[in-house]
Amino acid sequence: MLSSKKKYIVNGNSGIKAQIQFADQKQEFNKRPTKIGRRSLSRSISQSSTDSYSSAASYTDSSDDETSPRDKQQKNSKGSSDFCVKNIKQAEFGRREIEIAEQEMPALMALRKRAQGEKPLAGAKIVGCTHITAQTAVLMETLGALGAQCRWAACNIYSTLNEVAAALAESGFPVFAWKGESEDDFWWCIDRCVNVEGWQPNMILDDGGDLTHWIYKKYPNMFKKIKGIVEESVTGVHRLYQLSKAGKLCVPAMNVNDSVTKQKFDNLYCCRESILDGLKRTTDMMFGGKQVVVCGYGEVGKGCCAALKAMGSIVYVTEIDPICALQACMDGFRLVKLNEVIRQVDIVITCTGNKNVVTREHLDRMKNSCIVCNMGHSNTEIDVASLRTPELTWERVRSQVDHVIWPDGKRIVLLAEGRLLNLSCSTVPTFVLSITATTQALALIELYNAPEGRYKQDVYLLPKKMDEYVASLHLPTFDAHLTELTDEQAKYLGLNKNGPFKPNYYRY
């Protein structure tokens, strides 16, 4: 495959001063292109909207790759044009993907069946900003079946499956997303979801905090009618706690990220499988004997380390938290500072939720052909912006894979331009996402139906009973049989026979 070489020219950026300042918003929120047009930015920097080489890439019709979805006039079979997707003609293909996902999402389908008659979300107007995949489509259609009206945008410019977005638009969901959006497209899509004549959201489902930030910044009066926010990422939850601490959180918010069913299943088990999938699809590499440094040993880091160790890799860990650091040591990993191993490792993986974990200094010192990728939600962990300089050459070798070449010929392999590897470059296990999606749906139902006064303008964890309920809905898949407490045992432990079985402070 012939690859084209190109030089990046640094252009002036104009900052848009936000009303709400977040600690890590420099890269995400403040930088806007001023000298590069919308279409040229998409092609010169991401190019993902025109690449369909990778097996992980979404189905695309190459005949219209050159045209931005914003420049197209599309209608679904019902005559509606309230959406913006890559190609509405891909809807049938996307519908088959959604049907496959439904088979691996038993709890969400059970919730849809049990609550459909009651319509617990009747009257809810949910605006969402998440990854748009087949699994998210099952969640959206479940919310619709429970009575909600939904409008949706993507939280990641690379993770949208175009055919799934088309299927949702064909079904009547106002979806504004496509794979390979530019930064300008990204914010335009969010605005199209929010700024609608005659329709105002009363619930927010967010993944990363961008949607919440946009409403705070552009439409703060909307919070007068919004009942609550449900947030599922480390980054987004961090921003919510910042708002709460500053006294600027206007509505109750549910922290799904720190629920047991999200932390212990999505973050751990999902990443344990998808890290290998993402690396293999993009690089075709052999893991045995490779030296890998994983930055961060939270649940995501634990999953990545376990998978790579099982494949025969030599794994190092960096950590700031002594407790997580001790866990890494007890699990058999060597705890290091990044500077100590950066010259020798073959792969660098970030999963901290922080910013500038891998700096230009680190990138300069990496060995030739070192692979650099991110498994955290935000694209701030790797200082990709520092690589867009005249002396470095970027070479696109396949979808979501760039060689960044130094003047002396050294190159690193950068995956997904530092964005979330698994959802940008591969797929994730549907069953695990069923757990997270069911948790999100129950959190929305809880906040929407909660009597006034139950939740104040603060950030809350999901009730323990709800976590246990989500887990119980998934057990029949394994033909698993729970042991029941006797009356005597329940009295001895001071528990209700039906749960919750652990106190809120219990660490699973």
Side-chain angles (χ1 to χ4, degrees), residues 185-244:
D185 293 331
F186 175 79
W187 295 111
W188 179 86
C189 288
I190 289 178
D191 195 71
R192 284 295 306 272
C193 286
V194 175
N195 185 18
V196 189
E197 186 177 351
W199 194 92
Q200 180 174 321
N202 53 25
M203 293 294 296
I204 295 173
L205 178 58
D206 210 353
D207 185 351
D210 293 328
L211 171 60
T212 302
H213 167 78
W214 190 254
I215 296 176
Y216 264 108
K217 176 184 171 184
K218 294 288 187 178
Y219 311 102
N221 289 333
M222 282 191 176
F223 280 102
K224 294 177 181 179
K225 292 188 177 181
I226 290 175
K227 292 188 173 184
I229 302 167
V230 174
E231 172 60 56
E232 78 149 310
S233 76
V234 172
T235 305
V237 166
H238 177 63
R239 290 168 178 163
L240 288 174
Y241 280 119
Q242 285 181 323
L243 286 173
S244 178

Side-chain angles (χ1 to χ4, degrees), residues 105 175 185 213 220 236 342 367 393 403 440:
M105 303 186 81
V175 173
D185 293 331
H213 167 78
I342 197 63
K367 65 191 290 189
T393 302
H403 284 174
Q440 290 173 305

Side-chain angles (χ1 to χ4, degrees), residues 14-16 18 22-33 129 154-157 182-184 186-187 190 207-211 213-214 217 235-236 239 353-355 374 376-382 384-385 416-420:
S14 60
I16 295 178
F22 295 110
D24 59 353
Q25 73 184 32
K26 179 179 178 183
Q27 184 115 349
E28 285 291 309
F29 297 144
N30 284 353
K31 294 200 173 181
R32 298 290 183 276
C129 184
C155 70
N156 185 301
I157 64 175
S182 68
E183 288 290 321
D184 181 56
F186 175 79
W187 295 111
I190 289 178
D207 185 351
D210 293 328
L211 171 60
H213 167 78
W214 190 254
K217 176 184 171 184
T235 305
R239 290 168 178 163
N354 205 341
K355 65 180 294 187
N374 170 47
H377 174 84
S378 180
N379 66 332
T380 58
E381 300 204 31
I382 302 165
V384 175
E417 295 186 21
R419 294 181 182 269
L420 185 58

Side-chain angles (χ1 to χ4, degrees), residues 62-180:
S62 59
S63 63
D64 67 359
D65 277 352
E66 298 299 321
T67 307
S68 167
R70 289 170 63 174
D71 298 331
K72 296 179 183 179
Q73 297 294 326
Q74 300 184 82
K75 291 185 178 181
N76 63 17
S77 61
K78 302 177 183 66
S80 173
S81 59
D82 188 18
F83 62 87
C84 189
V85 300
K86 184 68 176 176
N87 187 350
I88 191 65
K89 295 178 182 178
Q90 298 174 4
E92 184 178 350
F93 185 81
R95 176 52 53 189
R96 292 198 294 271
E97 289 201 24
I98 295 170
E99 290 170 353
I100 291 171
E102 288 177 346
Q103 307 307 310
E104 273 283 286
M105 303 186 81
L108 209 55
M109 299 306 291
L111 181 64
R112 185 187 299 187
K113 185 176 180 180
R114 292 182 187 185
Q116 193 166 2
E118 303 171 9
K119 302 287 184 186
L121 290 175
K125 296 180 178 180
I126 303 172
V127 60
C129 184
T130 66
H131 301 283
I132 296 184
T133 62
Q135 296 82 10
T136 306
V138 178
L139 169 62
M140 289 172 61
E141 293 186 340
T142 298
L143 298 177
L146 301 184
Q149 297 178 28
C150 300
R151 298 181 69 85
W152 230 261
C155 70
N156 185 301
I157 64 175
Y158 295 138
S159 64
T160 297
L161 295 182
N162 288 332
E163 62 276 15
V164 171
L168 288 167
E170 174 61 31
S171 298
F173 286 91
V175 173
F176 300 85
W178 58 94
K179 190 180 185 73

Side-chain angles (χ1 to χ4, degrees), residues 34 167 195 317 389 401 452 476 478-479 488 496:
T34 59
N195 185 18
V317 172
T389 54
V401 183
E452 189 173 350
F478 304 100
D479 192 25
E488 182 181 5
N496 185 308

Side-chain angles (χ1 to χ4, degrees), residues 358-366 387 406 410 412:
V358 177
T359 65
R360 176 60 188 267
E361 181 184 356
H362 294 127
L363 295 160
D364 285 338
R365 296 174 59 201
M366 288 177 184
L387 297 175
W406 269 250
K410 185 200 87 167
I412 64 167

